[in-house]
């Protein structure tokens, strides 16, 4: 299975990917997680990306494309992968297409998780994550257990100001790639409102029909 998870910030892509990789046994390749790791490690790429991310802007295409194309070429991705947060611009979608054609890979599905914009600010500003395991929580919808609550952290781009920017970028840069995948017959729209388990069940059903 080679698939992409698309959706606005806070749609639940990371939450769902964590569940789905267990079912489909493929690596979860999140461009956001890769960039955050590079920022933490202080690499040249991380230094370049940090300012864009904090402000809620997209990291330039040339930086992100090289990073993800290299990642999907690794041996653990040879039998399949779940991309999360990439592609999110037209040049990224075109670059992925070229890289997959060169590798002889075919995409099986693109899952669009749809959540009304009114719900997104609450989801994003209430998000917390465990720096030790990467597990995602929410102060109200999925509170961390007592043993973890003392160490959870908030992302620097989960402020109201940055999420407003991220939503604008989603609209102007990412929404335009959706018709590209719809025209290829790969797009599966999934309602992202409900419990995380309900959303996982919807995605799993959509993916089974894609195979
Ligand atoms: P990235 O990390 O990709 O962020 P994003 O796309 O904005 O998505 P999020 O991680 O905010 O949300 P999510 O959909 O994963 O939701 P989650 O499951 O956590 O990118 C961050 C930044 O990196 C970008 O702004 C950009 O600067 C840069 N970047 C990354 N990729 C790039 C690229 N390709 N090109 C250029 N720049 C790039 O859930 C959110 C919250 O909601 C959590 O608290 C969760 O507990 C809760 N929740 C989840 N599901 C539910 C549910 N069903 N009901 C109630 N609450 C729920």
């Amino acid at each position: 299975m080679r698939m992409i998870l698309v959706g606005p910030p806070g749609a639940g892509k990371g939450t769902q990917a964590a569940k789905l990789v267990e079912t489909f046994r493929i690596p979860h390749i999140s461009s956001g997680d890769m960039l955050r790791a590079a920022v933490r490690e202080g690499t040249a790429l991380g230094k370049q990306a940090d300012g864009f991310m904090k402000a809620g802007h997209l990291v330039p295409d040339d930086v992100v494309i090289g990073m993800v194309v290299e990642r999907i070429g690794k041996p653990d991705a040879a039998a399949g992968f779940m991309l999360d947060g990439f592609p999110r611009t037209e040049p990224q979608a075109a670059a992925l297409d070229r890289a997959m054609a060169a590798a002889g890979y075919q995409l099986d599905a693109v899952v669009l998780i749809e959540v009304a914009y009114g719900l997104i600010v609450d989801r994003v500003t209430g998000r917390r994550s465990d720096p030790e395991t990467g597990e995602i929580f929410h102060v109200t919808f999925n509170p961390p257990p007592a043993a973890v609550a003392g160490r959870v952290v908030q992302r620097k781009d989960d402020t109201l100001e940055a999420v407003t920017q991220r939503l604008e970028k989603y609209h102007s840069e990412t929404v335009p790639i959706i018709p590209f995948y719809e025209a290829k017959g790969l797009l599966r729209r999934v309602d992202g409102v409900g419990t995380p388990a309900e959303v996982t069940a919807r995605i799993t059903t959509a993916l089974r029909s894609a195979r």
Side-chain angles (χ1 to χ4, degrees):
M1 168 73 72
R2 295 186 181 90
M3 59 160 297
I4 301 172
L5 284 176
V6 191
K13 302 181 294 295
T15 301
Q16 293 303 322
K19 305 276 176 221
L20 294 164
V21 292
E22 286 170 18
T23 307
F24 292 96
R25 299 184 176 278
I26 48 178
H28 170 210
I29 301 178
S30 157
S31 48
D33 285 351
M34 292 172 80
L35 290 166
R36 279 184 289 279
V39 171
R40 267 196 314 276
E41 289 158 16
T43 65
L45 188 148
K47 285 182 184 143
Q48 213 179 337
D50 193 26
F52 292 104
M53 294 175 77
K54 267 190 215 146
H57 294 295
L58 293 182
V59 175
D61 284 334
D62 55 341
V63 176
V64 180
I65 288 170
M67 178 185 81
V68 177
V69 167
E70 186 191 340
R71 177 66 187 87
I72 62 176
K74 297 235 158 116
D76 69 327
F81 50 77
M82 178 173 299
L83 286 172
D84 160 6
F86 182 96
R88 63 211 282 164
T89 65
E90 285 174 330
Q92 290 179 20
L96 178 65
D97 233 29
R98 284 194 300 274
M100 298 220 12
Y105 290 165
Q106 277 199 334
L107 206 50
D108 297 301
V110 177
V111 173
L112 171 61
I113 305 180
E114 298 182 303
V115 174
Y117 281 16
L119 298 174
I120 283 178
V121 170
D122 273 356
R123 280 200 187 184
V124 171
T125 55
R127 170 172 39 204
R128 300 291 183 274
S129 57
D130 180 349
E132 286 185 19
T133 63
E135 196 170 348
I136 301 167
F137 298 100
H138 189 281
V139 290
T140 312
F141 308 135
N142 179 24
V148 173
R151 64 172 190 246
V152 295
V153 292
Q154 185 170 25
R155 268 170 47 179
K156 288 180 199 159
D157 61 346
D158 278 349
T159 59
L160 181 58
E161 198 183 14
V163 77
T164 305
Q165 270 301 319
R166 286 158 61 198
L167 275 168
E168 275 183 24
K169 290 290 169 199
Y170 176 74
H171 236 314
S172 62
E173 305 287 336
T174 307
V175 169
I177 71 173
I178 292 169
F180 174 74
Y181 292 114
E182 198 155 32
K184 288 174 178 275
L186 293 171
L187 193 75
R188 302 286 181 276
R189 291 176 188 271
V190 171
D191 181 3
V193 181
T195 66
E198 285 167 346
V199 179
T200 308
R202 287 176 202 142
I203 296 176
T204 306
T205 304
L207 287 175
R208 297 263 184 236
S209 72
R211 298 188 90 180

